[in-house]
Amino acid sequence: MIIHDHGARHVAIIMDGNGRWAKKRHLPRVAGHRAGVEAVRTIVRAAGDMGLEAMTLYAFSSENWKRPEEEVSDLMGLMKRFILSDLDEFAANDVRLKVIGNWRALAPDVVALIENALDRTAGNKRTTLAVALNYGAQDELVRAARAAAAEEGGITAETIEAHLDTTGLPPLDLLIRTSGEVRLSNFLLWQAAYAELYFTDRLWPDFTPADLQAALDHFARRERGFGGL
Ligand code: FPP
């Protein structure tokens, strides 16, 4: 029997460094993103094996539209192919897909693909893979606050929380950012309030299950006080 004593239920990752990984190899940036997708596959499998209930990945931020058109279209193409090619694997590994962010504003073919994938994996129970697409935490908070204001109880921490895109996922335990940058870049700002933050120099395509394990070991060693003693 595998015993998971790290205690973490929900891990989020800012997958940074694909461009630098490609540059080091004199490859085009898209090659870095392709390698990044391979890392996603490996890490999602590992997350299930390590007993995580949820993993949230920052795949495309609302700011990423500022990148050159070709790179945006490469990223969208990779995303579509990932969803199409990995649906069977999600079924085999009992992975439920969730998408957070303003994904309904994406191109109609992407929206249709996502809807189908959400539908087909809705009954899966082992791990939830939440992909942040066209996501920005400030946008999420504005949407949540508006929805909360329309409710009888008005705006409270509880009503905002109930309208976040991550509703239904366990509380965020650990937030990892790769590639040495020490910023949250508009990712899960509310959810990170009590999360452990973990920064590593590893570039995302080089991030392995052993690196995830190291982050979880770090988490397990921390005693989180939630502001109390
Ligand atoms: C940051 O690297 C990475 C991204 C902007 C995109 C992340 C996307 C993937 C890993 C692929 C698709 C994801 C899924 C879930 C299938 P960067 O380009 O900012 O790297 P740099 O800072 O070194 O230039």
Side-chain angles (χ1 to χ4, degrees), residues 12-208:
I13 309 184
I14 301 175
M15 309 180 287
D16 199 5
N18 295 347
R20 276 162 283 169
W21 184 92
K23 193 168 182 196
K24 266 176 40 181
R25 288 165 178 74
H26 308 286
L27 293 169
R29 291 178 62 81
V30 65
H33 295 315
R34 256 186 241 127
V37 175
E38 286 309 315
V40 167
R41 268 193 195 111
T42 311
I43 291 301
V44 171
R45 279 182 208 134
D49 294 342
M50 290 175 192
L52 293 175
E53 288 169 52
M55 172 157 271
T56 302
L57 301 178
Y58 207 0
F60 194 90
S61 78
S62 36
E63 286 77 38
N64 284 154
W65 295 110
K66 294 182 204 138
R67 295 192 177 205
E69 210 177 301
E70 192 191 340
E71 184 170 353
V72 169
S73 109
D74 285 341
L75 279 168
M76 286 297 156
L78 283 172
M79 200 69 58
K80 285 197 278 187
R81 255 172 286 149
F82 171 74
I83 292 174
L84 273 174
S85 62
D86 284 47
L87 257 183
D88 289 341
E89 174 155 350
F90 292 160
N93 295 332
D94 208 9
V95 174
R96 181 175 75 108
L97 185 72
K98 184 177 170 78
V99 181
I100 65 168
N102 212 345
W103 59 274
R104 286 185 186 279
L106 297 173
D109 60 326
V110 183
V111 172
L113 207 79
I114 291 172
E115 278 171 343
N116 174 51
L118 295 178
D119 225 49
R120 280 196 41 201
T121 62
N124 297 347
K125 297 253 170 337
R126 189 161 85 129
T127 317
T128 298
L129 167 63
V131 178
L133 270 185
N134 198 16
Y135 175 88
Q138 292 176 345
D139 170 67
E140 176 194 34
L141 283 167
V142 169
R143 287 187 283 108
R146 284 199 181 123
E151 282 194 355
E152 208 168 310
I155 296 182
T156 65
E158 289 72 28
T159 55
I160 289 181
E161 178 119 12
H163 289 286
L164 294 175
D165 294 353
T166 49
T167 299
L169 297 180
L172 182 63
D173 296 303
L174 173 66
L175 174 60
I176 300 171
R177 183 171 188 148
T178 59
S179 94
E181 309 295 336
V182 184
R183 288 190 298 275
L184 293 184
S185 298
N186 204 15
F187 190 48
L188 303 180
L189 296 182
W190 180 286
Q191 296 85 340
Y194 291 104
E196 191 67 30
L197 307 181
Y198 184 87
F199 300 95
T200 166
D201 286 340
R202 196 81 80 213
L203 304 176
W204 174 249
D206 292 329
F207 192 83
T208 65

